[in-house]
């Protein structure tokens, strides 16, 4: 009898140890899917880093990248909640959507023009450069390619011309919709000049058909692009904060590697990650690395400057204040948790 009891006790211990008790194991929580609209540009570096190093996954987010060819479609998709998060330039169309009552929000920095950091520039054809078109004042009457009216390129060109006492009325704007089309028009000399960003500036210069005459950041400080939350995603505060935690961590990594250049190994790693996502050679990437805030904080004061410029140039319908479209709360909460 004693042997039977001992055998039964041993059996119970084995069953318990094997996890075969009546209690079920708790399943791990499923990752929250987040659709993310992006362009293959150097200024998207923190997003590439966060994807590559698993920072989003650490926060329980499953990122679904969606690649676009221009800024405007990303803004439209984000405003209509067709994608959760947009990462692109701050344009007139985005401001117009906000002015019409759509509740998308600018939540973080994704690259800005700042002196000493090549990001966006105005280039002329090599022939024009060799013929003396080497400064902004010489652009009067010239055909200048941009992606779209109301785009970041439109804004940058306007501000650059104004810095020399000129205006958009002094040049011929040629909207070409896509960056690839702008580059092709510059190469075929259908336009005299164009605004481009990295790594496209380096591609054009290496190909030999364009020359930079001015870096935008050397003339104006400008919050070029940002991270946007759609109206629906913005309602999910927990996911929004987790996204910002991962993004801010990646901004820190980028800043240490690229801006402070504290560690050559880390610098080389980040360059390799960017090159992988933008499909450009490593040496090209090194020539055009934009400034991005260490924590991903916006240059918020510049949003008001942009709104005022678009309004003055008849590109913004209705009225809009910066605090109607900027929401720093997600990042601020992410930085304190």
């Amino acid at each position: 009898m004693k042997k039977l009891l001992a055998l039964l006790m041993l059996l119970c211990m084995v069953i318990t140890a094997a996890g075969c008790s009546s209690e079920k194991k708790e399943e791990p929580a499923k990752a929250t899917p987040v659709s993310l609209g992006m362009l293959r540009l150097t200024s998207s570096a923190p997003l590439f880093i966060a994807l590559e190093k698993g920072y989003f996954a650490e926060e329980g987010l499953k990122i679904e990248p969606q690649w676009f060819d221009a800024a405007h479609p990303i803004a439209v998709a984000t405003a209509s909640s067709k994608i959760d998060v947009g990462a692109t330039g701050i344009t007139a169309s985005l401001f117009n959507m906000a002015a019409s009552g759509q509740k998308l929000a600018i939540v973080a920095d994704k690259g800005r023009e700042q002196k000493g950091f090549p990001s966006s520039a105005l280039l002329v054809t090599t022939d024009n450069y060799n013929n003396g078109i080497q400064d902004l004042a010489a652009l009067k009457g010239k055909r200048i390619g941009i992606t779209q009216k109301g785009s970041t390129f439109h804004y940058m060109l306007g501000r650059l011309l104004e810095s020399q006492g000129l205006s958009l009325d002094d040049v011929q704007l040629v909207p070409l919709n896509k960056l690839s089309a702008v580059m092709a028009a510059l190469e075929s000399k259908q336009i005299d000049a164009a605004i481009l960003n990295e790594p496209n500036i380096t591609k054009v210069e290496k190909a030999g058909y364009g020359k930079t005459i001015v870096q935008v950041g050397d003339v104006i400080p400008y919050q070029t692009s940002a991270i946007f939350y759609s109206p629906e995603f913005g309602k999910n505060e927990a996911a929004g904060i987790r996204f910002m935690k991962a993004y801010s961590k990646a901004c820190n990594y980028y800043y240490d590697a690229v801006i402070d250049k504290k560690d050559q190994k880390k610098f080389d790693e980040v360059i390799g990650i960017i090159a992988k996502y933008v499909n450009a050679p490593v040496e090209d990437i090194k020539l055009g690395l934009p400034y991005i805030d260490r924590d991903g904080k916006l240059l918020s004061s510049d949003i008001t400057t942009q709104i005022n410029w678009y309004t003055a140039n008849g590109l913004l319908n209705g009225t809009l204040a910066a605090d109607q479209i900027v929401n720093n709360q997600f990042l601020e909460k992410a930085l304190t948790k």
Side-chain angles (χ1 to χ4, degrees):
M1 187 67 177
K2 287 182 179 180
K3 287 183 178 180
L4 181 59
L5 288 171
L7 185 61
L8 287 170
M9 289 178 65
L10 180 61
L11 185 60
C12 286
M13 290 172 66
V14 170
I15 291 172
T16 300
C20 295
S21 66
S22 59
E23 294 182 8
K24 292 182 179 180
K25 282 186 177 181
E26 186 178 338
E27 293 185 5
K30 290 183 179 179
T32 303
V34 179
S35 53
L36 171 61
M38 293 183 284
L39 297 168
R40 294 188 185 274
L41 297 175
T42 309
S43 62
S44 296
L47 293 167
F48 304 152
I49 292 168
L51 286 167
E52 197 72 8
K53 297 186 74 65
Y55 294 164
F56 289 123
E58 288 173 5
E59 294 297 330
L61 302 174
K62 181 183 178 183
I63 302 300
E64 300 168 352
Q66 296 189 23
W67 301 101
F68 289 74
D69 293 321
H72 177 67
I74 296 180
V76 171
T78 308
S80 60
S81 293
K82 289 183 179 177
I83 58 174
D84 298 311
V85 180
T88 191
I90 303 172
T91 64
S93 63
L94 184 133
F95 288 135
N96 276 301
M97 284 184 276
S100 70
Q102 291 180 290
K103 301 296 182 183
L104 77 168
I106 301 173
V107 298
D109 178 24
K110 196 197 77 73
R112 66 180 71 166
E113 303 298 334
Q114 184 149 312
K115 192 169 185 177
F117 293 90
S119 179
S120 300
L122 195 146
L123 298 85
V124 296
T125 63
T126 300
D127 283 354
N128 274 315
Y129 187 87
N130 292 338
N131 288 328
I133 310 299
Q134 299 180 8
D135 58 32
L136 290 168
L139 291 174
K140 191 169 183 177
K142 299 301 180 185
R143 298 160 299 167
I144 304 181
I146 59 172
T147 48
Q148 296 169 322
K149 288 188 176 181
S151 66
T152 55
F153 300 104
H154 191 176
Y155 176 85
M156 286 187 274
L157 177 60
R159 293 287 307 277
L160 289 176
L161 291 170
E162 288 165 7
S163 75
Q164 297 300 309
L166 300 173
S167 74
L168 289 167
D169 292 333
D170 292 309
V171 298
Q172 299 177 48
L173 276 183
V174 184
L176 293 162
N177 294 318
K178 293 183 179 181
L179 284 168
S180 57
V182 174
M183 293 164 69
L186 193 71
E187 184 174 18
S188 61
K189 303 175 188 177
Q190 295 176 58
I191 55 176
D192 299 300
I195 295 271
L196 291 173
N197 47 13
E198 291 292 3
N200 299 310
I201 297 165
T202 300
K203 287 179 181 178
V204 168
E205 291 188 322
K206 287 185 74 172
Y209 60 86
K211 293 273 191 180
T212 296
I213 63 170
V214 64
Q215 289 282 344
V216 175
D218 289 344
V219 180
I220 57 169
Y222 169 40
Q223 183 67 61
T224 318
S225 54
I227 304 295
F228 310 98
Y229 282 178
S230 72
E232 283 303 310
F233 189 70
K235 294 175 184 177
N236 189 341
E237 184 180 55
I241 292 171
R242 297 204 310 275
F243 189 99
M244 280 294 102
K245 285 182 74 173
Y247 182 71
S248 182
K249 185 176 180 179
C251 286
N252 269 262
Y253 203 90
Y254 175 87
Y255 194 97
D256 288 346
V258 173
I259 309 300
D260 278 355
K261 295 184 179 176
K262 291 181 176 179
D263 184 328
Q264 184 63 42
K265 185 177 179 181
K266 185 180 282 189
F267 176 82
D268 291 339
E269 178 196 11
V270 167
I271 298 302
I273 291 171
I274 298 170
K276 171 185 173 181
Y277 280 88
V278 303
N279 300 321
V282 164
E283 293 307 313
D284 288 4
I285 299 299
K286 289 179 180 178
L287 296 174
L289 294 162
Y291 182 90
I292 296 173
D293 182 77
R294 178 187 288 277
D295 294 320
K297 293 179 180 178
L298 281 165
L299 183 62
S300 297
S301 60
D302 189 54
I303 303 302
T304 297
T305 302
Q306 293 181 45
I307 290 171
N308 291 341
W309 188 90
Y310 283 120
T311 300
N313 283 272
L315 294 164
L316 178 56
N317 300 314
T319 58
L320 180 69
D323 60 9
Q324 290 175 253
I325 192 170
V326 173
N327 185 340
N328 295 314
Q329 294 300 308
F330 293 100
L331 180 57
E332 289 175 1
K333 290 178 180 179
L335 293 174
T336 57
K337 288 185 179 239

